[in-house]
Amino acid sequence: MVPNKKMEALLNKQMNAEFYNSHLYQAMAGWFEGQNLPGFASWMEIQAGEERGHAMKFYNHLKERRGAILVGAVPAAPVKYKGALDAIQAAFDHEVHVSQEINKMMETALAEKDFAAVEMLRWFVTEQVEEEANVDAILQQLKMVGESKGSLMYIDRHVGKRKAA
Ligand SMILES: [Fe+2]
Ligand SMILES: [Fe+2]
C-alpha cells in the first residue's frame, strides 16, 4: 500500500537524515585521521557505512511501497572538534536526537494507521537503543580515563577493534 503524503514526506525526511548521519560520521572519521587516532577513525568509518544502510532501509521501504523517493542534498557536517571527547559527545547527542525523531515518526505512523511503516520503524526504535549505547560506552571510557595522549592511544586501540557488521 502506497504511504499517504504525510508518511511519504516523513519517510523521505528520515532517509535524507540518515544519509546526513553517514556524512557526519565520515567527517568525524576524517577528523580522527588528522589526530592520528586510526582506531577511532575506523570506528567512525564503519558507523558511516551503517548509517548509509539505515538510509537504504527507508529508500527500499519507499521503493517497495511505490512511494516517491526524493534523495536530497546532504548538508555539510562539522569537520572540526575540540578533542576526542568533544567529538564523541557530539556523536552521542546526535544519536539521542535521532532517537527522538524516530519516536516522533512512530507516533505519526500509529496515528495515521500506517502499520507497514510502524513495523519498519520498530526495527529503528530497537536499533537506536543500541546506537546510543555503543557511543555512550566510548563516551564513558573517555570521561573515565581523560584525554592524555596515553589514554587516547589506549582507547584508540580498543575502539579500533570494531568490525563491520
Ligand atoms: Fe541511523
Ligand atoms: Fe546512528
Side-chain angles (χ1 to χ4, degrees), residues 14 17-18 21-22 25 47 50-55 58 95 98 102 123-124 127-128 131:
Q14 194 57 36
E18 300 288 351
N21 295 345
S22 179
Y25 282 110
Q47 188 59 33
E50 283 206 4
E51 297 294 354
R52 188 173 198 280
H54 295 169
F58 285 102
E95 287 299 343
V98 173
I102 295 287
W123 183 89
F124 277 94
E127 175 71 5
Q128 279 310 119
E131 295 265 289

Side-chain angles (χ1 to χ4, degrees), residues 8-157:
E8 188 184 77
L10 285 176
L11 289 162
N12 273 290
K13 186 177 169 224
Q14 194 57 36
M15 173 186 70
N16 283 301
E18 300 288 351
F19 278 125
Y20 171 77
N21 295 345
S22 179
H23 207 56
L24 174 74
Y25 282 110
Q26 193 64 57
M28 282 185 180
W31 183 80
F32 276 112
E33 294 288 2
Q35 303 299 304
N36 293 309
L37 292 167
F40 278 98
S42 161
W43 192 99
M44 291 292 165
E45 200 159 318
I46 290 168
Q47 188 59 33
E50 283 206 4
E51 297 294 354
R52 188 173 198 280
H54 295 169
M56 290 310 292
K57 270 189 192 282
F58 285 102
Y59 182 104
N60 287 321
H61 183 80
L62 284 159
K63 181 175 87 174
E64 285 168 1
R65 298 178 67 192
R66 294 222 160 270
I69 303 169
L70 306 166
V71 176
V74 180
V79 290
K80 277 190 186 136
Y81 294 95
K82 287 190 213 103
L85 183 61
D86 182 40
I88 298 296
Q89 182 73 58
F92 179 74
D93 293 346
H94 187 71
E95 287 299 343
V96 171
H97 166 74
V98 173
S99 300
Q100 287 163 346
E101 292 299 304
I102 295 287
N103 288 352
K104 271 195 256 170
M105 204 173 158
M106 178 65 110
E107 221 177 308
T108 309
L110 285 165
E112 297 290 321
K113 297 192 180 351
D114 186 338
F115 301 114
V118 167
E119 284 310 306
M120 196 230 2
L121 287 168
R122 208 183 287 279
W123 183 89
F124 277 94
V125 171
T126 309
E127 175 71 5
Q128 279 310 119
V129 174
E130 201 184 303
E131 295 265 289
E132 285 184 35
N134 288 344
V135 185
D136 191 43
I138 303 172
L139 183 61
Q140 296 311 319
Q141 283 178 342
L142 264 175
K143 280 185 177 170
M144 197 189 303
V145 300
E147 291 183 274
S148 70
K149 283 182 182 165
S151 300
L152 287 176
M153 274 189 78
Y154 170 76
I155 298 191
D156 189 67
R157 243 173 246 173

